[in-house]
Amino acid sequence: MSNPAGPSRPAPASVLAAQATHASAPVHPAFERLLPQFHRVRAQTLALVEGLSDEDCALQSMPDASPAKWHLAHVTWFFEVFALERFEPGFRAFHPSFRMLFNSYYNGVGDRHLRAERGLVSRPGLSLVRDYRADVEARIDALLRSPALDAADATVLAEVVELGINHEQQHQELLLTDIKHLFSRNPLLPALREGWPPVPVVAAPAGWLACEGGLVTTGSAAAGFAFDNERPAHRTFLEPFELAMRPVNGGEVIAFIEDGGYRRPDLWLSAGWDLVQARGWQAPCYWQQRGGGDVQPARWHTFTLRGLVEVSPDAPAAHLSQYEADAIARWLGARLPTEFEWEHVAQRVPVEGNLLESGLMHPAEPLAAARPGLPGQMFGDVWEWTQSAYLPYPGYRTAPGAIGEYNGKFMSQQMVLRGGSCATPRSHLRATYRNFFPPDARWQFSGVRLARDGR
Ligand SMILES: [Fe+2]
């Protein structure tokens, strides 16, 4: 590997050449919608790391989390490997080692660096990664304006670029949750940014929405973008059920703790109880008690991207594993919804709420009243654990080649979460969207919405 560590390099010639074409070359018709979206999402990623130091961007706090610098490079790698390498005439890699270094899990692409050691990659430095981003972005821009693309290539390239845009949005959320975990390990408990708007204080109404169930359609039949794991649309039979009108909140989790919820094996799935013992869980991730004395009891606080704050009893509780979500639901006399129950209700709910664009970076009380007769906060605030294993839908097929590794190969030992969080970009979400994590994962903005059998 040549030394990629040197001082910030001037913009590569390809960047300057491509930037010069920005204003003049017409956009290929297949990309008229995608090109502005591409640049907007790329800029949003850079905006998220504004104010972070080079050291902030380089560190890795645990094997599951990646350094911000790695995220910045890896989403760029995706466009370089899956779009430029295949479609750019005379393609040359920005750096020969990056193909291996920033490959996350695509065995079809070749070798990759160990996930758990991403934080040891001090070189390339952040400035070279920024150059890498600028270079690939300019070359994608030039490619999407290329008159040489035939219709068949343009169709495939459009699909790859749209997948790349959505991939980058997924990593925007991961970048934030990984930075949050990193900062939580710093005794100074730093905030990502100062001066954020205050979290609103309005209690959400409780209650249940009764649903008849029956034979319903779930999964995506939309002509627009959806990940392969959301397709195909298919029939699902639902028994009558009820879905809670709001997520479980901080006050309910505090009551669960005070009732000995983390010490009662009768509330837990076996694997969850084993984890409670092994890891010493006594509260959600990032929760700690502060203050208190002879008279005043200690108060529950939680680390947030805004620093350490007191747990709001009315805001959705976050950073729960699926095991905790399941135990809390059982303690509250309910259960987790299936992903299909959740989706059946969400099909009637507009995608709005406390999402990345709110700037709150923390679950909040509802930002707007729920539509009459519909549950609130279905989208945003916290991803909602379901009791559904992450499995292929009937008729599911992966795409050929390495890009087919995107989703399908993870359909084992993971559980589905729905609805997005305060770190999810709004344009990234749909009612059919399926997030998935192992049931012990706690560093995402993951929470609970109750369900129960119809009565
Ligand atoms: Fe990725």
Side-chain angles (χ1 to χ4, degrees):
M1 179 176 178
S2 61
N3 179 11
S8 179
R9 301 182 345 170
S14 55
V15 172
L16 301 175
Q19 283 172 345
T21 68
H22 265 225
S24 52
V27 182
H28 193 289
F31 307 117
E32 280 176 353
R33 176 180 58 85
L34 280 183
L35 189 57
Q37 195 183 351
F38 168 73
H39 285 300
R40 193 164 54 244
V41 168
R42 297 285 291 176
Q44 284 166 343
T45 306
L46 289 182
L48 292 178
V49 297
E50 266 176 33
L52 292 182
S53 68
D54 286 16
E55 294 87 344
D56 290 334
C57 291
L59 296 178
Q60 179 174 25
S61 56
M62 64 169 171
D64 280 343
S66 298
K69 182 174 74 178
W70 183 89
H71 286 296
L72 294 174
H74 164 69
V75 293
T76 304
W77 172 96
F78 191 96
F79 286 111
E80 184 182 38
V81 168
F82 291 120
L84 295 182
E85 204 172 291
R86 179 169 173 189
F87 293 102
E88 184 184 51
F91 168 83
R92 283 187 59 200
F94 177 82
H95 191 286
S97 296
F98 286 9
R99 196 171 195 275
M100 174 277 298
L101 202 52
F102 299 121
N103 179 3
S104 52
Y105 53 66
Y106 295 87
N107 295 315
V109 171
D111 292 340
R112 54 200 163 97
H113 181 59
L114 276 180
R115 178 183 181 133
E117 297 192 358
R118 289 172 184 166
L120 301 180
V121 182
S122 58
R123 300 179 179 200
L126 185 59
S127 64
L128 188 58
V129 166
R130 286 181 177 274
D131 288 349
Y132 179 42
R133 287 185 63 88
D135 180 75
V136 169
E137 190 169 327
R139 288 161 63 187
I140 291 283
D141 185 286
L143 182 60
L144 301 195
R145 296 172 193 274
S146 168
L149 276 177
D150 66 30
D153 278 357
T155 301
V156 178
L157 178 59
E159 290 173 1
V160 171
V161 169
E162 188 152 38
L163 182 61
I165 290 168
N166 280 272
H167 172 250
E168 181 145 351
Q169 288 183 308
Q170 286 184 313
H171 278 275
Q172 289 174 352
E173 176 154 7
L174 292 170
L175 193 157
L176 288 169
T177 53
D178 292 356
I179 280 287
K180 179 172 180 176
H181 190 266
L182 174 70
F183 281 7
S184 79
R185 304 303 305 273
N186 183 330
L188 303 180
L189 296 176
L192 179 59
R193 251 168 240 128
E194 304 295 339
W196 279 345
V199 173
V201 181
V202 184
W208 298 88
L209 176 71
C211 300
E212 281 185 13
L215 199 59
V216 303
T217 299
T218 52
S220 177
F225 180 81
F227 284 107
D228 61 358
N229 63 9
E230 299 167 60
R231 300 184 189 275
H234 58 285
R235 290 169 301 170
T236 302
F237 183 78
L238 303 177
E239 295 289 348
F241 68 99
E242 296 180 356
L243 193 69
M245 296 299 270
R246 59 158 173 78
V248 166
N249 60 33
E252 286 162 325
V253 173
I254 289 173
F256 172 79
I257 295 169
E258 290 176 347
D259 194 41
Y262 281 90
R263 302 191 301 273
R264 287 179 48 186
D266 57 303
L267 295 173
W268 293 80
L269 294 167
S270 175
W273 182 246
D274 289 348
L275 277 179
V276 169
Q277 306 302 302
R279 300 186 186 173
W281 287 348
Q282 298 179 35
C285 184
Y286 300 135
W287 281 37
Q288 56 178 274
Q289 285 188 301
R290 285 280 176 111
D294 294 341
V295 182
Q296 292 282 346
R299 315 260 317 167
W300 281 108
H301 288 65
T302 181
F303 180 70
T304 74
L305 282 165
R306 312 155 68 98
L308 192 70
V309 303
E310 189 166 343
V311 171
S312 163
D314 293 322
H319 299 296
L320 297 162
S321 65
Q322 199 237 10
Y323 295 126
E324 289 162 296
D326 181 87
I328 291 165
R330 186 167 294 114
W331 179 75
L332 286 165
R335 59 170 172 80
L336 301 183
T338 69
E339 64 168 318
F340 304 110
E341 289 169 338
W342 191 99
E343 182 178 321
H344 179 59
V345 174
Q347 286 167 351
R348 289 180 281 156
V349 179
V351 180
E352 58 189 24
N354 178 17
L355 297 154
L356 178 64
E357 289 77 7
S358 77
L360 296 175
M361 301 279 181
H362 190 57
E365 292 77 8
L367 299 187
R371 304 291 168 101
L374 291 174
Q377 295 171 288
M378 289 287 281
F379 294 100
D381 290 298
V382 289
W383 288 100
E384 297 173 10
W385 284 110
T386 71
Q387 61 169 265
S388 299
Y390 177 51
L391 294 171
Y393 288 166
Y396 172 72
R397 297 282 181 276
T398 55
I403 211 164
E405 295 182 50
Y406 196 109
N407 278 317
K409 70 180 187 180
F410 298 108
M411 291 175 173
S412 168
Q413 302 180 58
Q414 315 226 33
M415 305 303 286
V416 174
L417 303 97
R418 295 298 198 111
S421 82
C422 55
T424 313
R426 184 187 177 286
S427 63
H428 188 60
L429 277 178
R430 297 165 290 283
T432 56
Y433 193 105
R434 307 172 82 197
N435 196 359
F436 54 92
F437 276 93
D440 64 336
R442 306 211 297 175
W443 91 110
Q444 297 300 302
F445 287 99
S446 48
V448 200
R449 181 184 299 270
L450 303 177
R452 60 188 186 189
D453 299 339
R455 40 191 83 189

